[in-house]
Amino acid sequence: MGKDGIIIVGSGLAALTAAYYLRAQENVTIFTKKNRVDSNSWRAQGGVAAALATGDDWRTHFHDTLMAGCHHNDARMVELLVREGPKRLQEWIDAGMAFDTDEHGRPCFGLEGGHSHRRILHAGGDQTGKALVSFLLQQLNDRVPLVEEEQVIDLLIEDGRCVGVKTMRKDGRVSVWRASAVVLATGGCAGLYTFTSNALTATGDGIAMAYRAGAAVADMEFIQFHPTMLAAGGRAVGLVSEAVRGEGAVLETEDGRRVMDGVHPLGDLAPRDVVARAIVAELERGVRVYLNISAVSHFRRRFPTIAALCEAHGVDLEAGRLPVVPGAHFLMGGIVVNEWGQTTVPGLYAIGEAACTGVHGANRLASNSLLEAIVFGARVADAINCQAGWPTSGRRADRSVDRPPCLLAPPLPGRAHIREQLSASVGIVRDRERLREAVDWLEQFSLPHWLEGDVETLAAEEIETGYMLLAGWLVASSALRRTESRGGHYRSDFPHPHPDWQGRRLVRTKEEWASAPVGR
Ligand code: SIN
């Protein structure tokens, strides 16, 4: 790569969409810390929501998105999402992207929670993410190099501008890459929890790196927990798509009592936070919860991934009941960006779940995340295409950049331990005492070093752990500060939305450390 490259970090749908629309540029490189199929997008069972069906309209989709997001959304960004989404999808369909159709070749539009219209496009039944990623990889046809197993460990900042990245290979070798634009598409941080639908690589490292580099992050307290992960052997072993409830499955207890009766007018398709809390209430009473799938026709054909998951874990589909537990699923917050994916640091962009565009508000509407990846992945490419040829700073990126090495004191906790702590204290139901404990626990691990020190002398695993601590701290300390409940953020000591918090975002920058202690 020459000195003015464009670097995309991550290999999910947002990253590949940006690469697709940047493919005419010569100098684009994608770095991913694992491999091209190790992303949340690849595993996405749910589909893409878009107002393409007869009788549907972007305004209805807009309204549903704001309702799900508890009106914490940025309405202007939501409008961009729901108006541009159908156009981009139609363009991809015309280019050969195959969504599921009925026997007459008409698109099948599915239903999921919070949608007032059948508008979810699926591919391969429950393999939409895999189909979209495969489509883009095929379209790219190696025109954009995708470097696997090379982890971006830091962003290079010169004169307040992002001018490149540092990477580390599996053998520990560090490289410095100069770039005129760096696009973070590193996903969210639901991998900070023990029960999660996410790839375990989704630990918030892109968000932590951006915060370290001086970028603003926001809405970190808003984590969506998906109500139905398959439970087996005391663990959550994979997602059971909400589309299963969309096709008629219902939540019930061992003795057949309906869990959602009397809880919410939308019943089993109530907002995810409401359903997840109803399940937690049962589990805390020692009552197991099941998804009764007997009303779903052709289950194996419609949901092949879930059927295979059940078989792999000894869950008998013929019995018609899948044991379920909630698990961390999606971060509504992230790196603050404008409508072109630009962060508050010039030269640094963010898209997909790593970014906080404001489209999801306090709670994401089902199947809006792939749509966001497509719309804003394309927008970031449009922005960079317009700015191509911008000069970078004249100074050469230097590995040593005058930073002291990042010190480790006390020894870092294991990653499983971090996940347990966050699950126990910053989970589905939160309160001041447990959040305070979590913040104190996280702050003992020399967080200031994680803000300033040079990480290249550390092992890759230590760097990832440090970024997990920083991302976890952003979630916990934001959750402590928001003294209300709204969408994905529920506090038992403040169980209702408060008008003072309406429309208020918790925007965080590392400048806050100048007035430490900051976690209070
Ligand atoms: C699901 O299939 O239930 C997840 C889809 C989504 O989160 O949008």
Side-chain angles (χ1 to χ4, degrees), residues 76-273:
R76 198 174 57 93
M77 299 289 247
V78 177
E79 185 172 337
L80 288 178
L81 177 81
V82 298
R83 293 187 79 160
E84 289 184 13
K87 293 180 204 153
R88 295 286 183 190
L89 279 167
Q90 193 56 57
E91 188 188 318
W92 289 14
I93 291 167
D94 295 343
M97 172 61 213
F99 289 104
D100 295 343
T101 53
D102 65 14
E103 61 277 19
H104 306 290
R106 293 177 299 222
C108 294
F109 292 103
L111 185 65
E112 287 175 16
H115 287 275
S116 56
H117 210 285
R118 290 189 82 90
R119 65 165 70 95
I120 322 293
L121 286 168
H122 290 99
D126 56 10
Q127 301 172 80
T128 314
K130 187 174 169 181
L132 284 163
V133 168
S134 304
F135 166 76
L136 286 177
L137 286 173
Q138 200 181 16
Q139 296 290 313
L140 285 169
N141 197 17
D142 293 330
R143 251 187 292 175
V144 174
L146 199 163
V147 183
E148 299 178 307
E149 307 277 3
E150 186 153 349
Q151 181 183 348
V152 170
I153 58 166
D154 208 357
L155 302 170
L156 300 176
I157 305 294
E158 285 179 7
D159 303 330
R161 183 180 174 86
C162 182
V163 294
V165 301
K166 259 185 202 181
T167 62
M168 185 181 275
R169 280 184 232 168
K170 270 172 99 178
D171 60 7
R173 200 138 38 106
V174 172
S175 307
V176 172
W177 304 89
R178 186 102 186 167
S180 56
V182 174
V183 183
L184 292 174
T186 44
C189 64
L192 290 174
Y193 290 83
T194 309
F195 286 4
T196 177
S197 62
N198 283 206
L200 285 181
T201 48
T203 50
D205 46 4
I207 297 166
M209 276 190 283
Y211 178 80
R212 227 171 92 92
V217 306
D219 285 348
M220 292 297 290
E221 65 277 30
F222 292 114
I223 306 257
Q224 182 175 82
F225 290 82
H226 197 289
T228 56
M229 304 265 316
L230 187 70
R235 295 184 306 128
V237 294
L239 188 70
V240 179
S241 175
E242 188 162 292
V244 178
R245 278 174 285 137
E247 297 300 323
V250 293
L251 290 159
E252 62 183 28
T253 56
E254 186 114 52
D255 58 4
R257 177 171 50 81
R258 294 276 296 269
V259 171
M260 293 308 294
D261 270 2
V263 175
H264 193 278
L266 290 172
D268 289 275
L269 288 176
R272 287 180 181 171
D273 59 305

Side-chain angles (χ1 to χ4, degrees), residues 180-453:
S180 56
V182 174
V183 183
L184 292 174
T186 44
C189 64
L192 290 174
Y193 290 83
T194 309
F195 286 4
T196 177
S197 62
N198 283 206
L200 285 181
T201 48
T203 50
D205 46 4
I207 297 166
M209 276 190 283
Y211 178 80
R212 227 171 92 92
V217 306
D219 285 348
M220 292 297 290
E221 65 277 30
F222 292 114
I223 306 257
Q224 182 175 82
F225 290 82
H226 197 289
T228 56
M229 304 265 316
L230 187 70
R235 295 184 306 128
V237 294
L239 188 70
V240 179
S241 175
E242 188 162 292
V244 178
R245 278 174 285 137
E247 297 300 323
V250 293
L251 290 159
E252 62 183 28
T253 56
E254 186 114 52
D255 58 4
R257 177 171 50 81
R258 294 276 296 269
V259 171
M260 293 308 294
D261 270 2
V263 175
H264 193 278
L266 290 172
D268 289 275
L269 288 176
R272 287 180 181 171
D273 59 305
V274 177
V275 184
R277 281 199 301 280
I279 296 175
V280 166
E282 299 289 354
L283 297 175
E284 281 180 350
R285 283 198 291 272
V287 177
R288 287 195 186 161
V289 175
Y290 297 84
L291 193 58
N292 185 323
I293 57 166
S294 41
V296 181
S297 40
H298 312 297
F299 189 91
R300 280 176 201 282
R301 194 167 73 212
R302 171 69 183 82
F303 299 108
T305 306
I306 303 169
L309 185 71
C310 289
E311 265 151 34
H313 292 277
V315 175
D316 179 15
L317 271 185
E318 307 316 317
R321 288 176 120 197
L322 316 184
V324 290
V325 287
H329 184 58
F330 190 85
L331 170 69
M332 273 67 77
I335 307 160
V336 173
V337 293
N338 67 9
E339 69 270 42
W340 299 107
Q342 290 164 316
T343 72
T344 53
V345 172
L348 181 65
Y349 300 76
I351 42 174
E353 197 175 337
C356 182
T357 55
V359 294
H360 304 304
N363 201 9
R364 175 171 64 78
L365 182 66
S367 287
N368 265 359
S369 55
L370 294 180
L371 187 70
E372 183 196 26
I374 295 168
V375 169
F376 290 94
R379 282 189 148 258
V380 101
D382 287 351
I384 293 170
N385 280 328
C386 287
Q387 293 162 5
W390 265 21
T392 54
S393 157
R395 278 201 278 149
R396 200 172 66 81
D398 187 338
R399 279 180 55 167
S400 52
V401 209
D402 289 342
R403 279 174 143 185
C406 201
L407 298 174
L408 299 176
L412 293 179
R415 286 179 279 189
H417 191 181
I418 299 175
R419 293 189 170 106
E420 280 158 23
Q421 283 282 347
L422 287 166
S423 303
S425 312
V426 201
I428 297 173
V429 178
R430 306 161 173 184
D431 60 47
R432 183 181 189 284
E433 201 179 322
R434 282 182 295 172
L435 291 170
R436 178 76 268 150
E437 255 173 49
V439 171
D440 287 345
W441 184 79
L442 290 157
E443 284 185 356
Q444 71 180 294
F445 298 108
S446 315
L447 286 182
H449 287 297
W450 288 107
L451 292 177
E452 298 302 342

